[in-house]
Amino acid sequence: MATFLYKLGRLSFRRRHFVALIWVALLTLAGVGAASAPAAGNSSFSIPGTEAQKAFDLLEQRFPGTSADGATARVVFKAPSGEKMTDPGNKATVQDTVKELSDGSEVVRVTDPYQAKAVSKDGTIAYAQVSYKVSGMELDDSAKDALKDSAQDARKAGLTVEIGGDALQAVPHTGSSEVIGIAVAAVVLVITFGSLVAAGLPLLTALIGVGIGVSAITGLASALDLGTTTSTLAMMIGLAVGIDYALFIVSRYRAELAEGREREEAAGRAVGTAGSAVVFAGLTVVIALVGLSVVNIPMLTKMGIAAAGTVAIAVLIALTMVPALLGYAGRKVKPMGEKGKFLGRAKKEQDRPAKPNLGTRWASFVVRRPLAVLLLGVIGLGAAAVPATSLELGLPDDGSQPTSTTQRRAYDLLSEGFGPGFNGPLMVVVDAKNSDDPKAVFTETGDEIKGLKDVVTVTPAQPNKAGDTATITVVPGSKPSSVTTENLVHGIRDAGADIKADTDANVLVTGSTAMNIDVSEKLNDALVPYLVLVVGLAFLLLIVVFRSILVPLKAALGFLLSVMAALGAVVAVFQWGWLSGLMGVEQTGPVMSMMPIFMVGVVFGLAMDYEVFLVTRMREAYVHGEKPAQAVVTGFRHGARVVTAAAVIMMAVFAGFIGSSESMVKMIGFGLAIAVFFDAFIVRMAIVPAVLALLGRKAWWLPKWLDRALPNVDVEGEGLRTRTDRGGEDRELVRA
């Protein structure tokens, strides 16, 4: 592989005009496609195989024309202090609003609060429910504007009016913190390279890669039903790995220049060595992201595949466009140890007294005291992981929105007037098609549910025209995300199993609350198989890369430590409320159901980036004759600064998304940023060298039969060294 990538790097350097033209053309093509494609809204949400989804599908069949997947809005009214919603003036205002809302072309029906008994017991709060023909994703802007205008008219009459439901979806925004993250990355690159040109290359190539990836996602969003979150996450991961991969190549290029090689040869060798690490690091990220499809949640699958595509583009750009731009940069990119004009007069380190760099000093310290460093690192991560033992999972609803949104204020008003469970009603679907007496089954089901704990209201069964299927609405006494409500859902399903045994009727529970519970359980069940699949495949890949059993095993165990510590930090902030004000978390609650499995997938891939790049340098030194302990120090001397810069950049990019108004994006941004911190600075920089120092030569042990069976991918670039020894571009000849 190293020889092939070496040739690719030299070709890209030499044919830089052609390479740059191809990537610019791809960026232009993707941009035009994104600009001309129809806009996409929020992705539809379906969970195949769950009871909630089966009930939803049954409603589509048995209640045709009711638009079971149509958007809904709850217009919540609150009377001024000292007044009631039943006062004549307030009642007239509400009825005018209901009439105004009913005129919409996409409106199916609007309930009158006074006829539907949707007025709170104290008479201060009432709500009207608006049902639409189409989903919130397909709802016209004119319908949304009409909804807002009607609420505004009622406000002018003196009422407090807020709108909940999925008809008005807040458009997520990341704010200026995303730009700050990129700015931090730029500063780190300038400090690392000492040159504006060298620092600009990783940023430019990463932005081009992300531009192509996100534009392609935008262009396909409508056709493939991709939501706005998909492109946001692809941007987040694509920026981070794009900068890091380019950083690895440019750093190795400067090291090759420092050894006296001419620029085209240095570019080829940089791509042949560091590029090999980039390929395998990228493969682990792609495996982890594509592996999310095993969960069988379409939205998660699309997010993973879209992000994986952006990572693949980042790898290809690092291997081709980076050497091409190095060709354009020429002498503006200085050899390692030589500063550009931006940071002062050019001066080589060779002219100064030899002094070990910080990476060398740290590695030497770890090699001298490996056991103490190992214990301190493991205990520290273990302490950070403690909050993860109280992890509660759920999906965000309007209750997790910022208090500045009308959805959140409507949620709070409904909780105040009708109880916390009113925001998460359960819909029970009774399929009595195979029963002798459907009406009796409907009555029996309602009676059974009334006898369960935490039930506030059970509405009479509403049968379809055929009379073989009915819906029953159940209002719990607890809020939607509570464990009590989850127990109620399971209680209704247990009661439904008994009813089926007696009457052959199916009782299914659906609704957003039940769907969230089913998603959480599905994700929990998939976590272990997913871990086995992803870690197993990556373990085999790393055996090929490092030609060792213990090094990949150590890498996987270190990852588990860092991801558990990161989950503990997420629980502490988003569930317990520690530092919630600093992070902009207005409402604590359960951690998003997808967070553990998504973090496992993404963090595992990113963790292997540092593992591959850092340990490959150690492996290279060991293969070329150094003792194990000295190889660790050599790996840090060459790689610690680059890995540190890469980790800081990745943390800055991820942290930039903490400013998002989308709670899911905010949580993922924080989780990935803290996970990179734990993995890069504690696991890879402390635990990894400590373990390798303790293992010595055993770390690189591989059974002879397995060594013969494995393909030789030559990540260390031994083929390039052999090529030189045989009379290729020898360094002395190049200097001559």
mmCIF file of all heavy atoms in Angstrom, residues 232-273:
data_model
loop_
_atom_site.group_PDB
_atom_site.id
_atom_site.type_symbol
_atom_site.label_atom_id
_atom_site.label_comp_id
_atom_site.label_asym_id
_atom_site.label_seq_id
_atom_site.Cartn_x
_atom_site.Cartn_y
_atom_site.Cartn_z
ATOM 1 N N THR A 232 -25.916 18.349 9.323
ATOM 2 C CA THR A 232 -25.184 18.974 10.425
ATOM 3 C C THR A 232 -24.133 18.032 10.993
ATOM 4 O O THR A 232 -22.986 18.412 11.229
ATOM 5 C CB THR A 232 -26.145 19.410 11.543
ATOM 6 O OG1 THR A 232 -27.129 20.289 11.002
ATOM 7 C CG2 THR A 232 -25.400 20.117 12.661
ATOM 8 N N LEU A 233 -24.504 16.763 11.198
ATOM 9 C CA LEU A 233 -23.572 15.789 11.751
ATOM 10 C C LEU A 233 -22.485 15.442 10.747
ATOM 11 O O LEU A 233 -21.324 15.240 11.117
ATOM 12 C CB LEU A 233 -24.329 14.540 12.186
ATOM 13 C CG LEU A 233 -25.300 14.758 13.344
ATOM 14 C CD1 LEU A 233 -26.091 13.503 13.635
ATOM 15 C CD2 LEU A 233 -24.559 15.209 14.594
ATOM 16 N N ALA A 234 -22.843 15.371 9.469
ATOM 17 C CA ALA A 234 -21.834 15.120 8.439
ATOM 18 C C ALA A 234 -20.818 16.257 8.410
ATOM 19 O O ALA A 234 -19.611 16.038 8.262
ATOM 20 C CB ALA A 234 -22.505 14.959 7.080
ATOM 21 N N MET A 235 -21.308 17.495 8.571
ATOM 22 C CA MET A 235 -20.411 18.651 8.613
ATOM 23 C C MET A 235 -19.493 18.578 9.829
ATOM 24 O O MET A 235 -18.282 18.812 9.736
ATOM 25 C CB MET A 235 -21.232 19.940 8.660
ATOM 26 C CG MET A 235 -20.385 21.209 8.679
ATOM 27 S SD MET A 235 -21.362 22.696 9.043
ATOM 28 C CE MET A 235 -22.550 22.640 7.716
ATOM 29 N N MET A 236 -20.070 18.225 10.965
ATOM 30 C CA MET A 236 -19.306 18.147 12.208
ATOM 31 C C MET A 236 -18.155 17.147 12.087
ATOM 32 O O MET A 236 -16.985 17.466 12.356
ATOM 33 C CB MET A 236 -20.249 17.726 13.347
ATOM 34 C CG MET A 236 -19.612 17.648 14.718
ATOM 35 S SD MET A 236 -20.687 16.817 15.922
ATOM 36 C CE MET A 236 -22.147 17.825 15.894
ATOM 37 N N ILE A 237 -18.459 15.947 11.638
ATOM 38 C CA ILE A 237 -17.449 14.896 11.563
ATOM 39 C C ILE A 237 -16.510 15.135 10.387
ATOM 40 O O ILE A 237 -15.295 14.935 10.488
ATOM 41 C CB ILE A 237 -18.141 13.522 11.457
ATOM 42 C CG1 ILE A 237 -18.926 13.257 12.740
ATOM 43 C CG2 ILE A 237 -17.125 12.415 11.223
ATOM 44 C CD1 ILE A 237 -19.848 12.078 12.663
ATOM 45 N N GLY A 238 -17.065 15.580 9.251
ATOM 46 C CA GLY A 238 -16.239 15.825 8.081
ATOM 47 C C GLY A 238 -15.196 16.900 8.311
ATOM 48 O O GLY A 238 -14.037 16.773 7.885
ATOM 49 N N LEU A 239 -15.574 17.984 8.981
ATOM 50 C CA LEU A 239 -14.614 19.047 9.294
ATOM 51 C C LEU A 239 -13.488 18.523 10.191
ATOM 52 O O LEU A 239 -12.301 18.777 9.941
ATOM 53 C CB LEU A 239 -15.326 20.195 10.008
ATOM 54 C CG LEU A 239 -15.861 21.349 9.166
ATOM 55 C CD1 LEU A 239 -16.575 22.353 10.057
ATOM 56 C CD2 LEU A 239 -14.747 22.023 8.389
ATOM 57 N N ALA A 240 -13.873 17.778 11.219
ATOM 58 C CA ALA A 240 -12.886 17.304 12.188
ATOM 59 C C ALA A 240 -11.872 16.363 11.532
ATOM 60 O O ALA A 240 -10.660 16.571 11.640
ATOM 61 C CB ALA A 240 -13.594 16.607 13.349
ATOM 62 N N VAL A 241 -12.355 15.333 10.851
ATOM 63 C CA VAL A 241 -11.413 14.373 10.262
ATOM 64 C C VAL A 241 -10.700 14.973 9.056
ATOM 65 O O VAL A 241 -9.534 14.651 8.791
ATOM 66 C CB VAL A 241 -12.123 13.058 9.875
ATOM 67 C CG1 VAL A 241 -12.759 12.401 11.080
ATOM 68 C CG2 VAL A 241 -13.148 13.258 8.777
ATOM 69 N N GLY A 242 -11.377 15.859 8.308
ATOM 70 C CA GLY A 242 -10.738 16.476 7.148
ATOM 71 C C GLY A 242 -9.515 17.283 7.544
ATOM 72 O O GLY A 242 -8.459 17.198 6.904
ATOM 73 N N ILE A 243 -9.645 18.081 8.596
ATOM 74 C CA ILE A 243 -8.504 18.867 9.076
ATOM 75 C C ILE A 243 -7.410 17.941 9.603
ATOM 76 O O ILE A 243 -6.224 18.115 9.316
ATOM 77 C CB ILE A 243 -8.951 19.860 10.163
ATOM 78 C CG1 ILE A 243 -9.908 20.904 9.581
ATOM 79 C CG2 ILE A 243 -7.740 20.548 10.788
ATOM 80 C CD1 ILE A 243 -10.522 21.828 10.611
ATOM 81 N N ASP A 244 -7.806 16.935 10.371
ATOM 82 C CA ASP A 244 -6.823 16.032 10.974
ATOM 83 C C ASP A 244 -6.036 15.255 9.930
ATOM 84 O O ASP A 244 -4.806 15.139 10.011
ATOM 85 C CB ASP A 244 -7.529 15.062 11.923
ATOM 86 C CG ASP A 244 -7.795 15.684 13.285
ATOM 87 O OD1 ASP A 244 -7.579 16.897 13.418
ATOM 88 O OD2 ASP A 244 -8.223 14.957 14.196
ATOM 89 N N TYR A 245 -6.730 14.698 8.935
ATOM 90 C CA TYR A 245 -6.036 13.898 7.933
ATOM 91 C C TYR A 245 -5.054 14.740 7.125
ATOM 92 O O TYR A 245 -3.937 14.314 6.831
ATOM 93 C CB TYR A 245 -7.045 13.221 6.999
ATOM 94 C CG TYR A 245 -7.920 12.189 7.674
ATOM 95 C CD1 TYR A 245 -9.086 11.732 7.077
ATOM 96 C CD2 TYR A 245 -7.586 11.674 8.920
ATOM 97 C CE1 TYR A 245 -9.896 10.789 7.687
ATOM 98 C CE2 TYR A 245 -8.389 10.731 9.548
ATOM 99 C CZ TYR A 245 -9.551 10.295 8.932
ATOM 100 O OH TYR A 245 -10.347 9.371 9.545
ATOM 101 N N ALA A 246 -5.489 15.947 6.751
ATOM 102 C CA ALA A 246 -4.581 16.840 6.022
ATOM 103 C C ALA A 246 -3.405 17.247 6.906
ATOM 104 O O ALA A 246 -2.260 17.362 6.435
ATOM 105 C CB ALA A 246 -5.341 18.068 5.547
ATOM 106 N N LEU A 247 -3.675 17.447 8.186
ATOM 107 C CA LEU A 247 -2.616 17.798 9.137
ATOM 108 C C LEU A 247 -1.554 16.706 9.187
ATOM 109 O O LEU A 247 -0.348 16.979 9.191
ATOM 110 C CB LEU A 247 -3.238 18.011 10.523
ATOM 111 C CG LEU A 247 -2.297 18.145 11.723
ATOM 112 C CD1 LEU A 247 -1.421 19.376 11.576
ATOM 113 C CD2 LEU A 247 -3.091 18.223 13.014
ATOM 114 N N PHE A 248 -1.980 15.440 9.214
ATOM 115 C CA PHE A 248 -1.034 14.325 9.255
ATOM 116 C C PHE A 248 -0.132 14.324 8.017
ATOM 117 O O PHE A 248 1.089 14.137 8.118
ATOM 118 C CB PHE A 248 -1.784 12.991 9.337
ATOM 119 C CG PHE A 248 -2.559 12.796 10.616
ATOM 120 C CD1 PHE A 248 -3.620 11.906 10.664
ATOM 121 C CD2 PHE A 248 -2.237 13.502 11.764
ATOM 122 C CE1 PHE A 248 -4.347 11.724 11.828
ATOM 123 C CE2 PHE A 248 -2.960 13.318 12.936
ATOM 124 C CZ PHE A 248 -4.014 12.426 12.973
ATOM 125 N N ILE A 249 -0.726 14.539 6.836
ATOM 126 C CA ILE A 249 0.045 14.508 5.594
ATOM 127 C C ILE A 249 1.041 15.679 5.544
ATOM 128 O O ILE A 249 2.225 15.495 5.231
ATOM 129 C CB ILE A 249 -0.887 14.567 4.366
ATOM 130 C CG1 ILE A 249 -1.877 13.387 4.360
ATOM 131 C CG2 ILE A 249 -0.062 14.587 3.076
ATOM 132 C CD1 ILE A 249 -1.285 12.050 4.082
ATOM 133 N N VAL A 250 0.564 16.887 5.836
ATOM 134 C CA VAL A 250 1.433 18.071 5.765
ATOM 135 C C VAL A 250 2.573 17.958 6.777
ATOM 136 O O VAL A 250 3.724 18.308 6.480
ATOM 137 C CB VAL A 250 0.610 19.359 6.004
ATOM 138 C CG1 VAL A 250 1.528 20.577 6.080
ATOM 139 C CG2 VAL A 250 -0.416 19.542 4.901
ATOM 140 N N SER A 251 2.273 17.454 7.973
ATOM 141 C CA SER A 251 3.297 17.313 8.997
ATOM 142 C C SER A 251 4.390 16.342 8.540
ATOM 143 O O SER A 251 5.593 16.614 8.695
ATOM 144 C CB SER A 251 2.661 16.826 10.300
ATOM 145 O OG SER A 251 3.638 16.616 11.286
ATOM 146 N N ARG A 252 3.983 15.215 7.960
ATOM 147 C CA ARG A 252 4.986 14.245 7.489
ATOM 148 C C ARG A 252 5.778 14.812 6.303
ATOM 149 O O ARG A 252 6.981 14.567 6.162
ATOM 150 C CB ARG A 252 4.293 12.945 7.094
ATOM 151 C CG ARG A 252 5.257 11.806 6.745
ATOM 152 C CD ARG A 252 6.157 11.460 7.939
ATOM 153 N NE ARG A 252 7.113 10.421 7.612
ATOM 154 C CZ ARG A 252 7.030 9.165 8.059
ATOM 155 N NH1 ARG A 252 6.021 8.809 8.848
ATOM 156 N NH2 ARG A 252 7.938 8.278 7.741
ATOM 157 N N TYR A 253 5.119 15.578 5.457
ATOM 158 C CA TYR A 253 5.786 16.223 4.328
ATOM 159 C C TYR A 253 6.906 17.134 4.821
ATOM 160 O O TYR A 253 8.028 17.117 4.298
ATOM 161 C CB TYR A 253 4.751 17.015 3.526
ATOM 162 C CG TYR A 253 5.310 17.915 2.445
ATOM 163 C CD1 TYR A 253 5.764 17.399 1.242
ATOM 164 C CD2 TYR A 253 5.360 19.301 2.639
ATOM 165 C CE1 TYR A 253 6.263 18.237 0.240
ATOM 166 C CE2 TYR A 253 5.845 20.141 1.650
ATOM 167 C CZ TYR A 253 6.298 19.603 0.458
ATOM 168 O OH TYR A 253 6.782 20.434 -0.526
ATOM 169 N N ARG A 254 6.635 17.926 5.845
ATOM 170 C CA ARG A 254 7.643 18.827 6.399
ATOM 171 C C ARG A 254 8.794 18.042 7.033
ATOM 172 O O ARG A 254 9.955 18.456 6.969
ATOM 173 C CB ARG A 254 7.007 19.767 7.417
ATOM 174 C CG ARG A 254 5.976 20.701 6.809
ATOM 175 C CD ARG A 254 5.313 21.579 7.862
ATOM 176 N NE ARG A 254 6.224 22.576 8.376
ATOM 177 C CZ ARG A 254 6.498 22.753 9.658
ATOM 178 N NH1 ARG A 254 5.937 21.975 10.570
ATOM 179 N NH2 ARG A 254 7.334 23.698 10.053
ATOM 180 N N ALA A 255 8.461 16.890 7.656
ATOM 181 C CA ALA A 255 9.514 16.050 8.234
ATOM 182 C C ALA A 255 10.417 15.486 7.146
ATOM 183 O O ALA A 255 11.647 15.405 7.315
ATOM 184 C CB ALA A 255 8.884 14.919 9.049
ATOM 185 N N GLU A 256 9.820 15.090 6.020
ATOM 186 C CA GLU A 256 10.611 14.564 4.903
ATOM 187 C C GLU A 256 11.491 15.656 4.303
ATOM 188 O O GLU A 256 12.636 15.404 3.920
ATOM 189 C CB GLU A 256 9.682 13.982 3.831
ATOM 190 C CG GLU A 256 8.856 12.781 4.277
ATOM 191 C CD GLU A 256 9.708 11.549 4.557
ATOM 192 O OE1 GLU A 256 10.828 11.460 4.025
ATOM 193 O OE2 GLU A 256 9.242 10.668 5.316
ATOM 194 N N LEU A 257 10.967 16.872 4.214
ATOM 195 C CA LEU A 257 11.785 17.991 3.726
ATOM 196 C C LEU A 257 12.973 18.234 4.647
ATOM 197 O O LEU A 257 14.087 18.534 4.191
ATOM 198 C CB LEU A 257 10.940 19.270 3.634
ATOM 199 C CG LEU A 257 9.898 19.370 2.517
ATOM 200 C CD1 LEU A 257 9.152 20.699 2.619
ATOM 201 C CD2 LEU A 257 10.546 19.237 1.140
ATOM 202 N N ALA A 258 12.723 18.113 5.951
ATOM 203 C CA ALA A 258 13.791 18.344 6.925
ATOM 204 C C ALA A 258 14.914 17.329 6.783
ATOM 205 O O ALA A 258 16.061 17.602 7.164
ATOM 206 C CB ALA A 258 13.227 18.302 8.345
ATOM 207 N N GLU A 259 14.620 16.161 6.225
ATOM 208 C CA GLU A 259 15.642 15.137 6.015
ATOM 209 C C GLU A 259 16.376 15.331 4.696
ATOM 210 O O GLU A 259 17.209 14.514 4.312
ATOM 211 C CB GLU A 259 15.007 13.748 6.075
ATOM 212 C CG GLU A 259 14.507 13.393 7.460
ATOM 213 C CD GLU A 259 14.030 11.947 7.542
ATOM 214 O OE1 GLU A 259 14.333 11.167 6.608
ATOM 215 O OE2 GLU A 259 13.372 11.603 8.526
ATOM 216 N N GLY A 260 16.032 16.389 3.964
ATOM 217 C CA GLY A 260 16.788 16.740 2.777
ATOM 218 C C GLY A 260 16.206 16.288 1.462
ATOM 219 O O GLY A 260 16.858 16.407 0.426
ATOM 220 N N ARG A 261 14.993 15.764 1.454
ATOM 221 C CA ARG A 261 14.407 15.287 0.203
ATOM 222 C C ARG A 261 13.818 16.447 -0.592
ATOM 223 O O ARG A 261 13.349 17.422 -0.027
ATOM 224 C CB ARG A 261 13.339 14.238 0.482
ATOM 225 C CG ARG A 261 13.924 12.967 1.081
ATOM 226 C CD ARG A 261 12.897 11.837 1.166
ATOM 227 N NE ARG A 261 13.550 10.616 1.573
ATOM 228 C CZ ARG A 261 13.747 10.228 2.840
ATOM 229 N NH1 ARG A 261 13.306 11.001 3.809
ATOM 230 N NH2 ARG A 261 14.373 9.110 3.120
ATOM 231 N N GLU A 262 13.844 16.303 -1.915
ATOM 232 C CA GLU A 262 13.223 17.335 -2.746
ATOM 233 C C GLU A 262 11.709 17.210 -2.628
ATOM 234 O O GLU A 262 11.180 16.212 -2.183
ATOM 235 C CB GLU A 262 13.718 17.225 -4.184
ATOM 236 C CG GLU A 262 13.400 15.924 -4.880
ATOM 237 C CD GLU A 262 12.117 15.994 -5.665
ATOM 238 O OE1 GLU A 262 11.661 17.110 -5.965
ATOM 239 O OE2 GLU A 262 11.545 14.937 -5.965
ATOM 240 N N ARG A 263 11.009 18.244 -3.046
ATOM 241 C CA ARG A 263 9.600 18.400 -2.665
ATOM 242 C C ARG A 263 8.684 17.321 -3.246
ATOM 243 O O ARG A 263 7.788 16.834 -2.550
ATOM 244 C CB ARG A 263 9.122 19.808 -3.043
ATOM 245 C CG ARG A 263 9.823 20.864 -2.203
ATOM 246 C CD ARG A 263 9.365 22.277 -2.429
ATOM 247 N NE ARG A 263 10.111 23.167 -1.544
ATOM 248 C CZ ARG A 263 9.785 23.414 -0.280
ATOM 249 N NH1 ARG A 263 8.690 22.884 0.236
ATOM 250 N NH2 ARG A 263 10.517 24.205 0.471
ATOM 251 N N GLU A 264 8.867 16.963 -4.493
ATOM 252 C CA GLU A 264 7.997 15.921 -5.060
ATOM 253 C C GLU A 264 8.213 14.589 -4.356
ATOM 254 O O GLU A 264 7.272 13.868 -4.043
ATOM 255 C CB GLU A 264 8.272 15.770 -6.558
ATOM 256 C CG GLU A 264 7.342 14.753 -7.223
ATOM 257 C CD GLU A 264 7.580 14.644 -8.713
ATOM 258 O OE1 GLU A 264 7.935 15.664 -9.343
ATOM 259 O OE2 GLU A 264 7.410 13.526 -9.249
ATOM 260 N N GLU A 265 9.485 14.264 -4.079
ATOM 261 C CA GLU A 265 9.787 13.030 -3.361
ATOM 262 C C GLU A 265 9.203 13.077 -1.945
ATOM 263 O O GLU A 265 8.650 12.087 -1.446
ATOM 264 C CB GLU A 265 11.297 12.831 -3.303
ATOM 265 C CG GLU A 265 11.754 11.638 -2.481
ATOM 266 C CD GLU A 265 11.430 10.302 -3.116
ATOM 267 O OE1 GLU A 265 10.980 10.281 -4.284
ATOM 268 O OE2 GLU A 265 11.600 9.271 -2.442
ATOM 269 N N ALA A 266 9.316 14.237 -1.289
ATOM 270 C CA ALA A 266 8.775 14.376 0.069
ATOM 271 C C ALA A 266 7.262 14.206 0.074
ATOM 272 O O ALA A 266 6.694 13.572 0.981
ATOM 273 C CB ALA A 266 9.161 15.740 0.642
ATOM 274 N N ALA A 267 6.593 14.748 -0.946
ATOM 275 C CA ALA A 267 5.139 14.590 -1.025
ATOM 276 C C ALA A 267 4.765 13.126 -1.215
ATOM 277 O O ALA A 267 3.825 12.617 -0.594
ATOM 278 C CB ALA A 267 4.589 15.434 -2.169
ATOM 279 N N GLY A 268 5.510 12.428 -2.084
ATOM 280 C CA GLY A 268 5.230 11.010 -2.295
ATOM 281 C C GLY A 268 5.418 10.203 -1.032
ATOM 282 O O GLY A 268 4.595 9.347 -0.693
ATOM 283 N N ARG A 269 6.513 10.463 -0.318
ATOM 284 C CA ARG A 269 6.771 9.705 0.912
ATOM 285 C C ARG A 269 5.778 10.058 2.014
ATOM 286 O O ARG A 269 5.404 9.206 2.822
ATOM 287 C CB ARG A 269 8.202 9.961 1.380
ATOM 288 C CG ARG A 269 9.235 9.257 0.519
ATOM 289 C CD ARG A 269 10.658 9.552 0.950
ATOM 290 N NE ARG A 269 11.585 8.728 0.179
ATOM 291 C CZ ARG A 269 11.976 7.504 0.546
ATOM 292 N NH1 ARG A 269 11.523 6.975 1.666
ATOM 293 N NH2 ARG A 269 12.814 6.812 -0.200
ATOM 294 N N ALA A 270 5.356 11.310 2.077
ATOM 295 C CA ALA A 270 4.358 11.701 3.082
ATOM 296 C C ALA A 270 3.049 10.954 2.855
ATOM 297 O O ALA A 270 2.430 10.442 3.800
ATOM 298 C CB ALA A 270 4.127 13.207 3.029
ATOM 299 N N VAL A 271 2.622 10.881 1.591
ATOM 300 C CA VAL A 271 1.385 10.162 1.294
ATOM 301 C C VAL A 271 1.581 8.657 1.469
ATOM 302 O O VAL A 271 0.673 7.943 1.914
ATOM 303 C CB VAL A 271 0.906 10.489 -0.139
ATOM 304 C CG1 VAL A 271 -0.327 9.664 -0.507
ATOM 305 C CG2 VAL A 271 0.592 11.970 -0.269
ATOM 306 N N GLY A 272 2.787 8.148 1.148
ATOM 307 C CA GLY A 272 3.040 6.723 1.286
ATOM 308 C C GLY A 272 3.072 6.245 2.720
ATOM 309 O O GLY A 272 2.706 5.101 3.014
ATOM 310 N N THR A 273 3.512 7.098 3.656
ATOM 311 C CA THR A 273 3.612 6.692 5.067
ATOM 312 C C THR A 273 2.418 7.204 5.873
ATOM 313 O O THR A 273 1.571 6.425 6.306
ATOM 314 C CB THR A 273 4.936 7.213 5.655
ATOM 315 O OG1 THR A 273 5.049 8.620 5.381
ATOM 316 C CG2 THR A 273 6.117 6.485 5.053
#
